[in-house]
Structures are given as C-alpha cells and as structure tokens.
Amino acid sequence: MKGQLLTRLVTLASCMGISTVTAQVFDPNKGSSSGWDPEVVGTNKTTNATFSNPVMTLNVGDPFMTKYTADGEDWYLFTYTTNSNITLRRSRYLTDNWDNTESRVVFNPDPTSGEPWSTSLWAPEIHNISGSWYIIFTATSDGDNPPPLLDAMCPINCPAINHRMFVLAGDGPDPWTANFEMKPMLDTYDQFAIDGTYFHYENQLYHIYSCWEQKYSSWPANLCIARMSDPWTINSTLAERRIISVPNEPWEQVPYGRPIRLATNEGPQQLTNPKTGQNFVIYSAARVNTPFYCLGMLELVGNDPMEYQSWRKHRDGCVFHQNTATGIYGPGHASFITSPDGSEDYIVYHAQTTANPQSDLYRTARVQKFTWNEDGTPKFPLAQNGPFNVPAGQLALAQR
C-alpha cells in the first residue's frame, strides 16, 4: 500500500512539474543585511531596563539556548547554525547583544576531508544529560551536492539526502572549558535526518528529528521518534521507529495547501509546562527560506511517546508566525529558556527581515516572553521588535 501511495505521489509530482524542478541549495550564512545600529540591538545599555529585537544580528539560524552554572555564576549558553563549525557563545544576560559576547569554537572539521560530519553543519544543540554535556547536530560530507546518480534515486531533487545526525560528548562538567569528542554516528537507519533533538519522558530518552518516510522519499519532511539507551545510541529498529507528525495541514505546505514538495516538519523542540507537567513538541513548518515558515505544536496526550496515537497536533494554524506589520518574516526553529530568576519563560527564535528572501538567507536571533493558557498550552505572542522590559532578575544582575 505504501509503495502504491509513493507511486501515486510521484505521478502527481510529475504532473505538477515538480520532478523537473532544480533543487535550491543555499548557504544560510552568505546572506547579509544593510547593517544594524548597535544601540537598538539587545539590551538598552543606557538604562539596562529594556531590550529590543534582534538580540543577534550576525547571520544565524536555528538558535538554541540553555543555562549552566560555573564557579557560582549563572550563564546563558548559546549555539546556532554556522554551516562550517560549531560555535558556543555565553553571557550572563539573556537579552545581551549576542554579537559581542564571548565565543568559542568547539568543533571545526576540515570541509575537504570527506568525513560524514565535515560540511553543512546545521542546528547544533547543547544539552546537560545526567551531569554531562552533549552537542547534537546534523551534517553531511558533500555540501548538499550529492552525486547525480544518487540524486536521481529520488522522485524530486534531494540535495540533503546524505545529512545524518552526530553527537559530541564533553569531558567535564563545565561546557565552556570542556573538550568535545565525536561519538559514533547516531543511527537513523542510513536515511535523511536533520534537526535532531532529545526528548525526555519518565526517565527515558528519545530522539526526535526531521525524517523521510523512506530512504529516497525526498519530500515531505516528517517528524520521527526513536528510543535511546544513551545520548548517542539508538535502541529502536527501523520497524520500531515512528513517524509522529506529517505536514498534512495546508499551513505546513508551500505554497499553501500544496502537498509533497516543500511540505515540511522540522526543528522539533521539547517544551514542558512547569506547573502542569504537560509535554509539547514545538516544531517548524512550511519552508525555511520563505516568509511562511512558522511554528506548529504537538502535545503528548498518551503515555507512550513511541506511538503516534499518543500525540495530538494543533491543527488550527501556526502557533507563532510572521508579522508583516512589524517586518518579521519566517520566524521559526525555536528553543526555550527562562529569565535569570527563573520566573518567566522565553522563546528564542530566528526570523528574516524581508518578505522576498534571496536564496542566500539572512536571519537574526530574537527573544520574546511567552505565557501559558488556562488549558496548559503555551501562549505565544505576536512576533515583535520591542522594546520590551528585560527578563525578570536581569536588571538586578546588571546593577551588581
């Protein structure tokens, strides 16, 4: 039945002219802007009481932020897609101008080495799991330019067919001073895999990532889950792997309502309501290099994350999306963090500054406060530039 469905989809794609479309390959870090006034980036340095978006104007995508403590001081730790290496930044302040913060390159592969992790490094995340630090990221050996005969196996051009997931393990409790070493490739069954993250539920670790149904499917990009025995080892078979979300809603597709090509679920991120314990996966939908890129939401309503029946999709449209009135387009690939005093929740996301982006994307990193609805679901704001009040506890920290 699946084979018949794939055949029908391929036929439909051919009728729509999709099979002859040349793949758009872009370097997310070649884009540029006309420049930003540092006075309106991040925290207002005159008062330290307000901040404005963006908080980072360097061309970055897929921002991920977490916290750690070292020598009695609390730090925000930030990483993002550079395309060529894995860079960490840190600051005491959530809404600092992150362009000017301390930075450290922790992994810098030789792009000519042919190693499977050597080019197109995307969406790194750094996690503290059981007291140790791990960086999970996706990469490929071919710069998203696979051999023509391999690309020909896909019904639609598939430049990212060789993207796989990787994990770096730190050797100490302080992520800023730790050395990171490569662990064995994360098993995704020798299939396309990007934007992987960790999902924790009842003392069990899972891997959720963007996947294809089959090795050569090409599109759509779905969300898959597999069980893990440790942060770099999958212990689910391919038959046990589950697809928990497919981009079957019209707002998850580009153009709106067109299936197959550019229909996307990616960038999953766990979000837990601190009061009710409800677990959500906030993910990116539609196409990253369009203004329609947005956030969708799954809620874990069952007791087994490995069963798709345990997940419920919010089907009433994006939960966070472009705001044309403020010139913010394609907001997506979010992570979540708390204020310095832990009392407020914040979304960290990237966005574009034009409704007509070039193939070489330019994206900035942004931060906004969000709250919770009475039913326990997250209540995200409209994408805005500010100014906003700084996060709770930050002003007191700055006045020390």
Side-chain angles (χ1 to χ4, degrees):
M1 188 65 185
K2 286 185 177 179
Q4 294 175 358
L5 176 60
L6 180 61
T7 300
R8 291 171 185 169
L9 292 177
V10 172
T11 302
L12 174 61
S14 178
C15 292
M16 297 170 67
I18 292 173
S19 61
T20 61
V21 174
T22 301
Q24 183 179 32
V25 181
F26 56 90
D27 184 339
N29 292 297
K30 287 183 178 179
S32 62
S33 77
S34 58
W36 295 82
D37 180 356
E39 295 300 318
V40 297
V41 175
T43 303
N44 182 316
K45 295 302 183 183
T46 301
T47 66
N48 286 319
T50 63
F51 77 96
S52 297
N53 278 322
V55 297
M56 188 173 186
T57 69
L58 298 178
N59 188 16
V60 301
D62 316 324
F64 181 86
M65 196 176 291
T66 189
K67 287 180 176 180
Y68 78 99
T69 301
D71 299 325
E73 293 188 324
D74 295 326
W75 294 89
Y76 287 97
L77 192 62
F78 184 38
T79 188
Y80 46 88
T81 290
T82 70
N83 215 48
S84 59
N85 63 44
I86 294 178
T87 297
L88 301 179
R89 288 180 176 265
R90 73 172 184 171
S91 174
R92 302 293 308 286
Y93 311 109
L94 171 55
T95 62
D96 208 344
N97 181 337
W98 283 89
D99 292 337
N100 302 323
T101 55
E102 293 180 83
S103 65
R104 177 189 176 215
V105 176
V106 298
F107 184 62
N108 193 25
D110 177 359
T112 66
S113 67
E115 296 287 0
W117 56 76
S118 59
T119 68
S120 299
L121 285 72
W122 298 345
E125 299 182 1
I126 182 165
H127 293 260
N128 187 325
I129 301 175
S130 301
S132 298
W133 290 94
Y134 300 92
I135 297 173
I136 186 171
F137 68 100
T138 181
T140 184
S141 62
D142 58 19
D144 291 307
N145 187 29
L149 290 180
L150 180 60
D151 184 74
M153 295 294 292
C154 300
I156 308 167
N157 301 86
C158 50
I161 188 172
N162 286 325
H163 259 271
R164 300 292 185 269
M165 294 302 307
F166 303 92
V167 174
L168 301 170
D171 64 359
D174 185 342
W176 196 251
T177 59
N179 295 311
F180 287 86
E181 68 170 5
M182 180 69 68
K183 305 301 287 186
M185 183 189 298
L186 202 59
D187 185 14
T188 56
Y189 319 104
D190 195 29
Q191 294 187 17
F192 164 86
I194 65 169
D195 294 357
T197 191
Y198 295 113
F199 185 87
H200 302 259
Y201 182 71
E202 294 188 349
N203 299 316
Q204 174 63 52
L205 189 63
Y206 301 86
H207 180 218
I208 300 181
Y209 62 102
S210 186
C211 63
W212 296 340
E213 181 184 9
Q214 300 174 12
K215 184 170 184 176
Y216 302 109
S217 296
S218 181
W219 295 100
N222 314 297
L223 294 183
C224 280
I225 188 170
R227 189 178 288 106
M228 307 186 79
S229 57
D230 59 49
W232 64 90
T233 306
I234 301 294
N235 66 353
S236 295
T237 65
L238 177 58
E240 293 169 330
R241 181 196 75 169
R242 290 292 181 267
I243 294 176
I244 57 173
S245 181
V246 298
N248 52 9
E249 297 297 322
W251 49 270
E252 297 176 302
Q253 304 164 356
V254 176
Y256 183 87
R258 185 187 70 179
I260 312 173
R261 183 174 182 263
L262 305 188
T264 306
N265 285 176
E266 62 187 18
Q269 193 69 205
Q270 183 173 8
L271 175 61
T272 302
N273 185 316
K275 293 184 178 179
T276 68
Q278 290 165 265
N279 280 291
F280 304 91
V281 169
I282 308 299
Y283 64 93
S284 298
R287 179 60 170 158
V288 64
N289 56 343
T290 72
F292 314 112
Y293 202 54
C294 69
L295 296 181
M297 182 174 74
L298 300 176
E299 181 178 1
L300 183 65
V301 294
N303 59 10
D304 184 358
M306 287 294 294
E307 294 303 326
Y308 59 82
Q309 297 95 334
S310 290
W311 296 93
R312 180 173 62 202
K313 179 180 287 191
H314 175 86
R315 299 190 178 276
D316 295 333
C318 309
V319 295
F320 190 69
H321 52 78
Q322 66 177 328
N323 186 350
T324 58
T326 55
I328 301 172
Y329 303 94
H333 206 116
S335 60
F336 304 97
I337 197 70
T338 58
S339 59
D341 69 0
S343 68
E344 297 174 338
D345 294 294
Y346 283 81
I347 178 173
V348 184
Y349 65 97
H350 73 230
Q352 302 171 50
T353 56
T354 175
N356 296 292
Q358 300 299 307
S359 57
D360 290 325
L361 283 178
Y362 173 71
R363 298 171 291 183
T364 59
R366 296 165 174 266
V367 174
Q368 285 186 241
K369 179 182 174 181
F370 73 95
T371 56
W372 300 90
N373 294 306
E374 290 186 3
D375 65 358
T377 59
K379 184 179 182 180
F380 295 116
L382 287 174
Q384 300 276 3
N385 295 311
F388 314 95
N389 291 331
V390 296
Q394 184 166 296
L395 183 57
L397 190 64
Q399 292 175 338
R400 287 182 183 175

